[in-house]
Amino acid sequence: MGFYDDSAKNHKRLSAKTWITLVVSASLLGSGTTTALMLPFLTGTKQIKLSQTNTALAEENPAAVQSVALNVNSEIIQAVNKAKPAVVTVVNLQNDGGRFYGNQAHEAGKGSGVVIDRKGHIVTNNHVVEGASQVRVLVNGQTVNAKILGTDALTDLAVLEIPTDKVDGIEPIEIGISESLQIGEPAIAIGNPLGEFEQTVTVGVISAKNRKLPTQDRAGNIVYEQTVLQTDAAINPGNSGGALVNVKGQLIGINSAKIASSGVEGLGFAIPIDEAKPIIEQLITNGKVIRPALGVSVSWEVKNIPANYRKELPVDYGVIVEAASGPAQKAGIESGDVIVQIDNVKINTFLDMRKYLFSKQPGDTVKVTFYRDSEERTVSVPLQELK
């Protein structure tokens, strides 16, 4: 025999009023959301304003309802407040020769820039101002004409200049150190995405250091590899030239590129400030970056030569000279020579050669080892300025 509660026989039928009382009690014991949804039904046509209810509860029990004011002042907020005023909008204006705009300059694109000193110098990307007949900067709520002091396509950097009185009241961004960054360290990107949303802030981390992004010439040939920081802070079109800062609000990189492909997210890149600083200084001082050149053009890398032709060469690495000029020609280097070493650095590719040469200065002398037929030779070559 099962359990049986005989006292249930003596219960009277519950009235409708009692049912409502039970429902209200149950709802109050349940979720606040359920109670809120039921209130209009339970009170008939009268709508209860929650603000009135809260006031009534507060009068009965002052501790029941409290207004909480949050004072959030995290490191990231402090960093943004410190760095954001120095990030400006850069507008690229181009003249189409009168075909559509009556020979008037029209807006070709927008990017971002960073005020780096009180002299009115602004750092941005070369591709932000490339092809511009005029550049304007939106700073301090004003649109100001800017002068292009210099650009460098290899590193994708450019420096602009505006009158010093236009940066009054703006604290130039503090320059940080990118070499000391750690993987996983917070990174804050500030810029002008899509050319419309000024001083937008996105936050992520340093995903990787010392990544390499190839720089191509107009023919599609890789002529340089730029070292970059990788971050998952959102970088969109228009962010180019903007600031990547650390939690101290210090500039650690110039936002430059992202990988935009279906299914790819969080792959943004910035030029490390340690790499950018010497370029910026030369652009301000010289209006260009002065780099050394050996005086040779390269036709092939040995590793890319078809195997049936490669076996005729004395070595299986190096670069083949297409033509020599200037000091290299005077030193005896000729077309067809295979350069395998400069000083003590082994040369496998054109980029190996360029990277090492760019660590030198025009006027420095290097020792070039090469093969002519099966004979190994070494000559000294004074470096000239790259044109």
Side-chain angles (χ1 to χ4, degrees):
M1 182 181 291
F3 180 79
Y4 176 71
D5 185 2
D6 188 61
S7 64
K9 297 178 182 179
N10 299 320
H11 286 322
K12 296 181 180 179
R13 177 172 296 206
L14 294 175
S15 67
K17 182 178 180 181
T18 307
W19 274 113
I20 291 176
T21 302
L22 288 175
V23 171
V24 174
S25 300
S27 70
L28 291 174
L29 291 172
S31 71
T33 303
T34 303
T35 305
L37 290 172
M38 292 180 64
L39 279 173
F41 169 75
L42 296 176
T43 56
T45 58
K46 185 179 180 181
Q47 300 295 313
I48 297 178
K49 294 182 179 180
L50 294 180
S51 59
Q52 293 176 348
T53 305
N54 291 341
T55 302
L57 289 172
E59 290 174 352
E60 294 177 7
N61 183 6
V65 178
Q66 296 181 358
S67 296
V68 179
L70 296 178
N71 182 13
V72 180
N73 194 22
S74 68
E75 283 187 319
I76 289 177
I77 291 175
Q78 292 177 43
V80 170
N81 289 337
K82 178 180 178 181
K84 189 170 71 169
V87 180
V88 300
T89 298
V90 177
V91 183
N92 181 321
L93 300 172
Q94 296 185 12
N95 193 319
D96 70 348
R99 288 176 296 171
F100 301 109
Y101 295 90
N103 208 29
Q104 297 294 315
H106 66 280
E107 184 179 304
K110 286 182 179 179
S112 306
V114 188
V115 178
I116 59 168
D117 58 32
R118 298 188 185 281
K119 298 178 181 179
H121 293 138
I122 296 171
V123 176
T124 186
N125 285 143
N126 172 69
H127 75 261
V128 170
V129 298
E130 190 173 17
S133 57
Q134 187 178 355
V135 174
R136 291 177 183 160
V137 174
L138 182 60
V139 56
N140 261 342
Q142 304 177 66
T143 300
V144 181
N145 289 329
K147 176 183 178 182
I148 301 176
L149 284 187
T151 63
D152 184 54
L154 290 183
T155 57
D156 195 22
L157 288 169
V159 176
L160 311 177
E161 185 180 59
I162 61 175
T164 55
D165 63 314
K166 301 302 181 182
V167 294
D168 286 348
I170 293 181
E171 186 66 30
I173 203 159
E174 183 180 341
I175 306 299
I177 301 173
S178 54
E179 181 58 34
S180 62
L181 292 171
Q182 301 182 66
I183 307 302
E185 180 177 336
I188 307 163
I190 308 175
N192 180 33
L194 307 183
E196 298 295 333
F197 305 99
E198 296 170 10
Q199 296 185 326
T200 291
V201 175
T202 55
V203 180
V205 298
I206 298 296
S207 304
K209 298 168 60 176
N210 300 317
R211 296 293 197 208
K212 303 294 183 183
L213 282 186
T215 300
Q216 297 179 325
D217 61 18
R218 295 185 183 279
N221 301 311
I222 297 176
V223 295
Y224 191 65
E225 279 187 334
Q226 173 63 53
T227 301
V228 291
L229 301 170
Q230 180 185 328
T231 180
D232 64 344
I235 296 176
N236 293 291
N239 272 115
S240 293
L244 189 71
V245 302
N246 59 19
V247 291
K248 294 183 179 180
Q250 298 170 328
L251 184 66
I252 54 173
I254 303 297
N255 298 326
S256 182
K258 67 172 291 186
I259 293 180
S261 181
S262 177
V264 176
E265 294 182 4
L267 284 176
F269 301 95
I271 303 164
I273 195 60
D274 290 357
E275 299 239 346
K277 277 196 298 186
I279 305 299
I280 293 167
E281 290 168 0
Q282 287 203 57
L283 292 178
I284 292 173
T285 304
N286 307 316
K288 63 178 181 178
V289 178
I290 298 174
R291 294 187 173 95
L294 187 61
V296 299
S297 58
V298 172
S299 57
W300 286 90
E301 296 171 351
V302 171
K303 66 183 181 67
N304 293 328
I305 294 177
N308 56 324
Y309 292 104
R310 197 185 313 158
K311 63 184 180 181
E312 299 177 7
L313 298 173
V315 287
D316 59 0
Y317 68 97
V319 296
I320 299 177
V321 175
E322 180 178 18
S325 62
Q329 185 180 35
K330 290 179 180 178
I333 298 176
E334 299 177 358
S335 174
D337 291 344
V338 182
I339 296 176
V340 296
Q341 185 171 303
I342 300 179
D343 290 337
N344 295 318
V345 177
K346 184 178 180 179
I347 304 300
N348 288 293
T349 66
F350 170 73
L351 288 177
D352 289 342
M353 183 172 73
R354 173 160 272 188
K355 183 177 180 180
Y356 181 72
L357 291 175
F358 282 3
S359 70
K360 301 293 183 179
Q361 296 293 327
D364 291 347
T365 298
V366 295
K367 291 184 178 181
V368 180
T369 300
F370 62 92
Y371 279 88
R372 181 174 298 160
D373 297 326
S374 59
E375 181 186 356
E376 179 183 308
R377 303 184 183 189
T378 299
V379 296
S380 294
V381 182
L383 299 177
Q384 59 187 3
E385 183 180 333
L386 180 65
K387 302 298 184 181

